Amino acid sequence: MTNAPQATTTPSPTPARLTRLREVLRQQHLDAILISQPENRRYLSGFTGSSGWLLISADQALLATDFRYYDQVALESPDFALVQIKMKLADLLRGMVEQAGARRIGFEADHATYDSVQEWCEAVPDCEWAPTKGLVVGLRAVKDAGELAAMRAAIALADAALAQALPQMRTGMTELEVSWIIESYMRTHAAEGVAFELIVAGGPNGARPHARASERPLQAGEPIVIDMGARLNGYCSDLTRTFCLGQPTEPERFWEVYNTVLRAQTAAEVALRPGMTGQEGDAVARDLITAAGYGDAFGHGLGHGVGLAVHEEPRLSRINLSPLVAGSLVTVEPGIYLPGWGGVRIEDIVLITDAGIEVLTRAPKEPILPG
Ligand code: ZN
Ligand code: ZN
């Protein structure tokens, strides 16, 4: 008798996500919700197409999309019934709402356009259309096992792309050349694309936190900020390191700034734990940078959630008073930016655990490269 290999299929994550969403709908006294935001649509249904709407009620899960995606829905969204759009969603909405048995329907006020909401209200005027904000984003803030595996893979790909790029970096190479070495590695190692336009910012360019790679040649001894991420199976990584080709031309300033940022990051990573608010997490790094005299040069939040979107909940920032919960992924990325000189930012992705955190980013933090 032979032992036939067992078919190993990963169970669909969407039923558990729909269960959590339906609990939220009950709490909000909503009979159904119409999902239009692309990452929320993908999270709840598995559908990766670029156009479609979900209508989810207590016992119905409908996915309306057009001819381009009919087959894809069957493959990617087995837990959803396909509604075939021929012309536009509004034509079918009344039938969908009746199928869902909904009277009070939520819509995503932080994504739907004014124009489309008007169209929906006109198509189904006898229902109450209720604006909602952040319901699915709130669910996405705690990652499930499949998402954590996807994130670990995306983070490892960014680490690998940076590791192979560093030995190739030379004085005189443009920021765009370095950016392309990183991007092409990610693209030839299964990434769908970059998670965002990569930042390679040498010298004064690094003083702008979101500078883009330019044609400026890298110079020896200046700080070079590289902020990069891959999009792999829909999930984004986000990694920043700061380097110097050869010894810094202004060693005293470079090391003071670099070590202040690194100490702030380390202190935050030691302190972060569930129950701490986003504001308290931010303050650990901010207080240290402020005490070193660079408070005004750290003008952004300490970090952000990351997943299907590169910036999502929860935030480590002065305005987030909500407690962090285990299962969230956040970046920890303090920075100091000095106009005319440059910037230093160091960014890891960490998982909030029951006990504290696990740092998922592995890229080393040694800044000096051979010139
Ligand atoms: Zn980043
Ligand atoms: Zn980031």
Side-chain angles (χ1 to χ4, degrees):
M1 194 181 137
T2 56
N3 280 325
Q6 294 279 310
T8 51
T9 49
T10 318
S12 163
T14 53
R17 295 176 190 172
L18 289 173
T19 301
R20 290 168 71 204
L21 176 69
R22 284 169 171 145
E23 180 54 36
V24 174
L25 295 183
R26 260 193 304 277
Q27 291 162 5
Q28 305 272 331
H29 308 292
L30 294 167
D31 300 325
I33 188 163
L34 185 67
I35 300 292
S36 56
Q37 203 278 343
E39 282 95 20
N40 292 344
R41 180 178 65 221
R42 177 172 181 156
Y43 176 77
L44 292 168
S45 69
F47 179 61
T48 62
S50 65
S51 175
W53 291 265
L54 311 179
L55 187 72
I56 297 161
S57 69
D59 58 2
Q60 295 287 322
L62 310 176
L63 196 168
T65 189
D66 65 78
F67 177 77
R68 295 170 293 171
Y69 300 115
Y70 294 165
D71 286 352
Q72 198 172 320
V73 172
L75 288 171
E76 293 181 340
S77 308
D79 305 308
F80 279 71
L82 169 67
V83 177
Q84 298 188 350
I85 298 180
K86 308 287 186 207
M87 299 290 279
K88 57 184 177 34
L89 175 70
D91 302 335
L92 304 164
L93 202 50
R94 170 172 291 280
M96 291 168 68
V97 167
E98 280 169 6
Q99 190 176 339
R103 298 285 308 159
R104 186 164 189 268
I105 307 160
F107 65 90
E108 296 180 287
D110 42 5
H111 177 265
T113 62
Y114 180 70
D115 191 44
S116 41
V117 175
Q118 275 192 317
E119 210 172 49
W120 303 337
C121 293
E122 278 164 26
V124 192
D126 42 352
C127 279
E128 183 191 345
W129 288 90
T132 70
K133 268 172 88 172
L135 297 192
V136 183
V137 166
L139 301 181
R140 280 170 43 202
V142 176
K143 268 59 181 177
D144 57 37
E147 293 189 287
L148 277 178
M151 282 300 298
R152 285 180 192 274
I155 292 165
L157 179 54
D159 285 343
L162 183 63
Q164 67 81 42
L166 294 182
Q168 302 181 58
M169 273 174 66
R170 293 284 177 273
T171 303
M173 245 180 199
T174 69
E175 295 171 351
L176 279 164
E177 283 177 273
V178 174
S179 153
W180 177 243
I181 291 171
I182 294 168
E183 177 172 350
S184 55
Y185 182 93
M186 296 192 298
R187 293 295 294 259
T188 51
H189 290 76
E192 295 100 74
V194 289
F196 51 88
E197 266 193 85
L198 304 188
I199 297 170
V200 178
N205 288 353
R208 285 177 284 122
H210 272 193
R212 287 181 186 160
S214 77
E215 289 187 282
R216 183 184 178 281
L218 299 176
Q219 293 172 21
E222 67 182 5
I224 302 164
V225 178
I226 299 183
D227 190 349
M228 49 177 286
R231 186 181 298 276
L232 181 65
N233 294 317
Y235 283 82
C236 299
S237 46
D238 191 4
L239 163 66
T240 308
R241 291 290 183 265
T242 301
F243 299 102
C244 200
L245 289 165
Q247 291 303 316
T249 41
E250 291 180 53
E252 217 164 289
R253 171 135 75 162
F254 179 85
W255 287 114
E256 180 179 283
V257 171
Y258 192 90
N259 287 330
T260 302
V261 172
L262 185 58
R263 276 192 295 122
Q265 190 198 37
T266 306
E269 290 182 351
V270 167
L272 281 174
R273 61 197 65 248
M276 181 180 246
T277 67
Q279 183 188 55
E280 287 164 345
D282 176 273
V284 175
R286 192 168 304 282
D287 291 350
L288 199 146
I289 289 174
T290 304
Y294 292 103
D296 292 340
F298 176 32
H300 57 73
L302 178 62
H304 51 86
V306 56
L308 285 169
V310 70
H311 295 125
E312 54 181 53
E313 300 304 318
R315 309 281 166 164
L316 297 181
S317 79
R318 283 172 282 190
I319 56 170
N320 180 15
L321 303 179
S322 306
L324 299 167
V325 295
S328 288
L329 289 173
V330 287
T331 67
V332 180
E333 50 177 310
I336 292 177
Y337 310 91
L338 303 176
W341 179 74
V344 170
R345 180 165 68 256
I346 309 173
E347 175 179 31
D348 290 334
I349 295 179
V350 308
L351 169 67
I352 310 284
T353 65
D354 291 328
I357 61 153
E358 180 193 346
V359 180
L360 303 188
T361 302
R362 296 276 158 81
K365 295 173 189 173
E366 164 53 45
I368 305 302
L369 302 174

